[in-house]
Amino acid sequence: MAKLIVNEHLVTPAKTAELVQICPFHALEDVEGKLIINENCKMCRICVNKGPKGVMEIVEGEKREEIDKSLWKGIAVYVDHVDGEIHPVTMELLGKARELAAKVDFPVYALFIGQDISEKAQELLHYGADKVFVYDHKELKDFRIEPYSAAFEDFIHQVKPSSILVGATTVGRSLAPRIAARFRTGLTADCTVLDMKENTDLVQIRPAFGGNIMAQIKTPNTRPQLATVRYKVMNAMERAEDACGEIVQCTIEDGKLVSRIEVLEVRPKEKEVSISDAETIIAVGRGVKNEKDMELVKELAALLGAQIAGTRPLIESGWLDAKRQVGLSGRTVKPKLMITLGVSGSVQFAAGMNGSEYIFAVNSDEKAEIFNVAHFGIVGDLYEVLPELIERVRLTRGA
């Protein structure tokens, strides 16, 4: 890793003044006659290339030892749960792990951390896990970052999984960065596509730069490789009738499970209908011109028993609650039927819904990107199409 240094024996007041002026990011300062590099430095090398010769220098940091990939085997999935009730994203990740593991002949592991969870761990053997590693301790009853991180770290030291998949839930997004930092390895958040190379490098693909490109990310020089994936992005395996695999009970020193956090009370949130679980969704975009026009959308949704969702502009306008935003900056959905009205179909939006079983799009622009992912489409003004669609549904259902 490269770093910028000052060769102090070559510094003079005149050279300091020249360097302070030459840096476009104000990263060089004259502090009581001493040339200092501050946190604004972007490593642009302008001071090295255009400044006084030899004063500023780029040096390469210490190289890390090359990792022996043969010592790291298996695809591990963190089991996200609340009081032993396993989040369905775990089953989706086990299905993906099974697919990736088959390419390099790896086993699939599940890491289950909590209290009184041993019996519930058996269910994971019906979804493709070869081994379920269970850390069942009273100190792990409620999620607290220090003891959970300690158990996670212990698992990695003991098992050495090559790749680890974590659900992009509130807990998963807290744990994964901590683990990546402890092992000085990479972490790719909110992956939409995962693949495995023959050399066991995990290929992690996710939208970047505001959804304008799909970035392909690899961490070939470190292990384990970590990725988080949202709910409804991957496909879960069908539950096998027979449980095939092994439950491994793990122990860890009580001293490692100490936390500065004390859980005084746990209050369950009021259950609400989430668009992530909806079988039919009507998503509206900027093609809807006025908030009052949402009444037509609500009418169609009532006829179809659908949930209403929207794109970012409508959420920011306050027409819909933020929990109804579809896309990588909102919710990922996988309904049986997705109807989009006036949605352009940006990469960010499409990545959040392109797993839908059927996508029906209405847009006045025949070149709109939404038609690249839609199974059926109508090029037309939604203010003409929507009333006709409502009428057809009424006639079909005899409403």
Side-chain angles (χ1 to χ4, degrees), residues 1-2 7 9 59 101 103 110 120 134 160 165 173 178 201 207 217 265 268 278 289 298 383:
M1 185 172 159
N7 290 317
H9 64 284
V59 297
K103 295 186 175 185
K120 293 175 181 178
V134 178
K160 290 189 177 296
L165 308 183
R173 284 175 169 161
R178 287 239 178 177
D201 285 351
I217 301 167
E265 183 183 1
K289 298 172 184 175
K298 291 176 182 177
Y383 286 91

Side-chain angles (χ1 to χ4, degrees), residues 4-296:
L4 183 66
I5 64 167
V6 179
N7 290 317
E8 296 182 2
H9 64 284
L10 296 176
V11 176
T12 65
K15 289 177 180 179
T16 296
E18 183 181 347
L19 284 163
V20 169
Q21 289 296 319
I22 207 172
C23 180
F25 303 107
H26 308 292
L28 298 173
E29 298 178 275
D30 183 349
V31 179
E32 298 179 354
K34 189 173 182 179
L35 185 60
I36 301 296
I37 305 167
N38 65 33
E39 66 276 6
N40 294 329
C41 182
K42 310 295 183 189
M43 296 291 288
C44 65
R45 301 176 185 243
I46 290 176
C47 59
V48 176
N49 298 329
K50 296 188 177 181
K53 187 174 180 181
V55 176
M56 307 302 298
E57 184 181 359
I58 295 286
V59 297
E60 294 296 327
E62 294 181 7
K63 292 185 177 179
R64 296 185 63 173
E65 291 184 18
E66 190 171 333
I67 195 80
D68 185 352
K69 297 178 184 179
S70 67
L71 299 178
W72 298 80
K73 296 181 179 179
I75 313 286
V77 172
Y78 171 73
V79 180
D80 202 297
H81 71 100
V82 176
D83 294 332
E85 294 301 316
I86 300 170
H87 193 292
V89 72
T90 301
M91 309 313 184
E92 294 178 358
L93 294 182
L94 282 171
K96 190 62 185 181
R98 190 81 264 164
E99 177 189 323
L100 297 173
K103 295 186 175 185
V104 287
D105 195 25
F106 270 174
V108 173
Y109 305 133
L111 171 61
F112 206 174
I113 302 172
Q115 184 188 22
D116 296 331
I117 55 174
S118 298
E119 288 186 12
K120 293 175 181 178
Q122 192 73 22
E123 182 67 13
L124 298 165
L125 299 178
H126 293 273
Y127 285 91
D130 294 307
K131 287 186 179 181
V132 182
F133 293 83
V134 178
Y135 286 81
D136 195 332
H137 293 258
K138 65 179 186 299
E139 293 87 354
L140 298 169
K141 179 181 185 300
D142 298 304
F143 174 73
R144 292 176 296 170
I145 191 65
E146 305 105 310
Y148 268 61
S149 296
F152 209 136
E153 183 180 3
D154 183 76
F155 163 75
I156 294 173
H157 282 308
Q158 300 298 327
V159 180
K160 290 189 177 296
S162 177
S163 299
I164 303 174
L165 308 183
V166 181
T169 61
T170 304
V171 170
R173 284 175 169 161
S174 298
L175 266 175
R178 287 239 178 177
I179 300 307
R182 291 190 183 198
F183 286 86
R184 298 181 63 199
T185 189
L187 165 65
T188 305
D190 292 340
C191 295
T192 56
V193 179
L194 293 172
D195 199 3
M196 182 68 69
K197 298 180 75 68
E198 290 183 4
N199 66 354
T200 73
D201 285 351
L202 183 65
V203 179
Q204 304 148 89
I205 298 175
R206 58 151 294 149
F209 295 102
N212 292 315
I213 66 168
M214 297 298 286
Q216 184 179 111
I217 301 167
K218 291 184 288 183
T219 50
N221 302 317
T222 59
R223 290 293 186 271
Q225 305 162 95
L226 273 89
T228 64
V229 182
R230 289 187 181 196
Y231 176 42
K232 292 282 187 179
V233 170
M234 304 299 175
N235 295 315
M237 294 174 58
E238 290 290 330
R239 185 184 188 278
E241 187 175 339
D242 297 324
C244 298
E246 177 186 355
I247 304 291
V248 180
Q249 297 292 339
C250 303
T251 58
I252 184 172
E253 297 173 19
D254 290 342
K256 293 183 178 180
L257 300 180
V258 174
S259 174
R260 291 172 294 176
I261 301 168
E262 182 182 354
V263 179
L264 301 177
E265 183 183 1
V266 177
R267 297 181 182 176
K269 287 176 64 177
E270 188 176 328
K271 287 196 174 182
E272 55 186 36
V273 178
S274 171
I275 60 171
S276 296
D277 299 317
E279 293 195 350
T280 305
I281 294 175
I282 300 174
V284 290
R286 278 185 285 196
V288 178
K289 298 172 184 175
N290 299 296
E291 187 174 4
K292 65 180 182 181
D293 299 332
M294 291 292 292
E295 292 303 318
L296 277 173

